[in-house]
Amino acid sequence: MFKVSDILKRDMDLFYDDLNSDREVSSSSSDNLLVADFTEYNPLHNGHFHCMKTAKDMFPDSLFVAVVPGLFERSGRGIPYILPREVRAEIAVSVGADIVVEGPPMGIMGSGQYSLCLCKMFQALNTDYIPRGYKPVEGIGEILNRINQGHHIASKPYKVVDKTAHETLLKGKLEEDNYVITSFSNSLSKIGFDYAGKFIFVERIEGVSGTLIRESIQKDNFDEVTGMMPPKTIEVLKREIKNDGIIYGIRDEERILNTANNYSLEELSSLNLFNEKLARNIIENGPYDDLETLEGSILHGFSSHFRQRALSILENPIPKKTVSEYIDRYPSTIRVLGYKNSDGLEKFKEKVNNENIHY
């Protein structure tokens, strides 16, 4: 059984260990092909499995590495994951991943911040190919073509631009999966990673509902979603429900309220993604006895998920200056959460551009 407060305390220690560690760059890299996929596996469903299988079928002799978000166990929406990362890694290995490594702390970062960290991880892994699921919508085909030509594509407010060709490719906003692809292109370009021909774009499959999956977990009844997930995912979910291992929606309420009620205006303003206006609003509407009242006092940000991210930051109060230093050093450490066999692990260690590997 996982106690959320213990997980968060452990992860805060790991965060500062990483912050204070220097990256040990490897002197050489092997010729082994490495396919690195980033996904939350929250939980691993047939869409994830289809993307993995497509990439593995294309490069059967490669190492398939899954980069799974780690520290603080909060999703890109700022919401607690369904399963801790070690359990998500267990499922990934059981259905085909050779190695699972810990990715950046998504829930306490802005989208641009964790995109940059992920791309720095791809670079550190000496990644040869990156599979990404996409949703086929009007205009996305040309965007994907430009990315695989190595063009610097970036999403701006209400448009997508080709910064290499100085052209606007699409007017309007992209859906989440497609937005992630352009975000990766933008971040990879910023760090000087040549990604021409490296992306494997996999069309999203239909028939998978994250909402129904979450409801099935809360009801402990998987009849409606049996065909949406690999059998191993359902097996592990049932096991974790029985063992009280589900952490979805569970927060360290005491820690959040303590930060909101006791931090000064200067301390709150200094937190990542916070500003003085938000900090002042929290202080002026406090003190708080419950999360519902606190959440109601958090101003809306640029994202519909901003309030949940703000709660995650209050739960794990790290100054924006510290997060910036962490990103600069990332990844100082590569933590392996799971692996298929020792042979694959040795090939992985020979391939990556970092000698500071923990497993």
Side-chain angles (χ1 to χ4, degrees), residues 12 101 178 187 296:
M12 188 65 79
V101 301
N178 296 343
S187 296

Side-chain angles (χ1 to χ4, degrees), residues 137-184:
V137 296
E138 186 176 354
I140 192 63
E142 181 60 21
I143 292 172
L144 301 185
N145 287 337
R146 297 286 185 100
I147 289 173
N148 256 343
Q149 291 170 19
H151 286 218
H152 182 176
I153 307 301
S155 288
K156 302 290 184 179
Y158 304 105
K159 65 179 179 179
V160 178
V161 299
D162 183 335
K163 299 182 77 171
T164 301
H166 306 289
E167 296 175 7
T168 296
L169 300 181
L170 183 73
K171 292 184 177 180
K173 286 188 174 182
L174 289 173
E175 295 191 38
E176 187 172 352
D177 285 351
N178 296 343
Y179 173 82
V180 168
I181 294 171
T182 59
S183 180
F184 280 173

Side-chain angles (χ1 to χ4, degrees), residues 12 20 86 92 158 197 235 249 288:
M12 188 65 79
N20 296 315
E86 292 86 356
Y158 304 105
E235 175 190 324
Y288 305 95

Side-chain angles (χ1 to χ4, degrees), residues 235-248:
E235 175 190 324
V236 171
L237 284 170
K238 288 181 176 180
R239 182 193 75 196
E240 293 304 312
I241 290 171
K242 182 178 179 181
N243 295 334
D244 291 328
I246 303 295
I247 61 173
Y248 179 67

Side-chain angles (χ1 to χ4, degrees), residues 35-46:
V35 176
D37 182 25
F38 159 74
T39 186
E40 297 180 86
Y41 291 153
N42 187 38
L44 191 152
H45 54 60
N46 286 345

Side-chain angles (χ1 to χ4, degrees), residues 11-21 317-319 322 326:
D11 287 357
M12 188 65 79
D13 290 340
L14 289 173
F15 177 91
Y16 280 99
D17 284 346
D18 291 345
L19 179 66
N20 296 315
S21 297
I318 302 174
T322 304
Y326 176 88

